[in-house]
Amino acid sequence: MKNYRVKVRDEKVEFFEELLRYLDFCDYEKVEGFAEPRIYPSFEIRSQEKTQKGNSRNSGKNKEQLFSDPEKNLDSLREVMSRIDAMRDKNRKG
């Protein structure tokens, strides 16, 4: 089994916990907070120009598209959840 750490915004906690209750392939435990040791990999320092170009390309449009329509995001989530349910039912039958 693998472990993941997830942060959830306060206003979405109730929805997240309800979602986790319906996922039969994972166990979850609510924790208030914990200290995690930081491991820093070796890295190289790059020039500022390259990093600024990369950040400006990814910063505006994609975020706006992701968060512009919450209703569309909910519909998409519902569709994915229904597909998961269908696959789970299929696996249980056969």
Side-chain angles (χ1 to χ4, degrees):
M1 184 172 269
K2 301 286 183 185
N3 296 312
Y4 294 89
R5 184 176 63 124
V6 178
K7 291 183 180 181
V8 180
R9 291 188 304 246
D10 290 339
E11 63 270 9
K12 299 293 183 178
V13 169
E14 188 176 325
F15 170 74
F16 183 71
E17 288 178 346
E18 184 177 348
L19 176 64
L20 288 178
R21 279 195 294 268
Y22 289 103
L23 301 177
D24 63 350
F25 58 85
C26 70
D27 299 324
Y28 71 95
E29 174 185 356
K30 182 178 179 182
V31 294
E32 291 302 317
F34 52 90
E36 183 178 345
R38 301 258 178 193
I39 299 172
Y40 297 100
S42 60
F43 61 92
E44 64 183 67
I45 298 175
R46 298 181 183 173
S47 70
Q48 290 290 339
E49 292 175 11
K50 288 181 182 177
T51 56
Q52 287 176 352
K53 286 179 184 176
N55 288 343
S56 65
R57 246 187 288 140
N58 295 332
S59 63
K61 245 184 197 178
N62 294 336
K63 288 180 184 177
E64 289 173 7
Q65 290 172 349
L66 273 176
F67 300 110
S68 63
D69 190 5
E71 196 62 38
K72 183 179 178 184
N73 290 340
L74 282 175
D75 290 341
S76 178
L77 180 61
R78 287 184 187 112
E79 181 181 331
V80 170
M81 288 173 60
S82 67
R83 278 193 243 151
I84 291 171
D85 285 339
M87 289 182 350
R88 186 183 307 138
D89 291 342
K90 182 180 176 183
N91 288 336
R92 286 181 183 163
K93 289 179 184 176

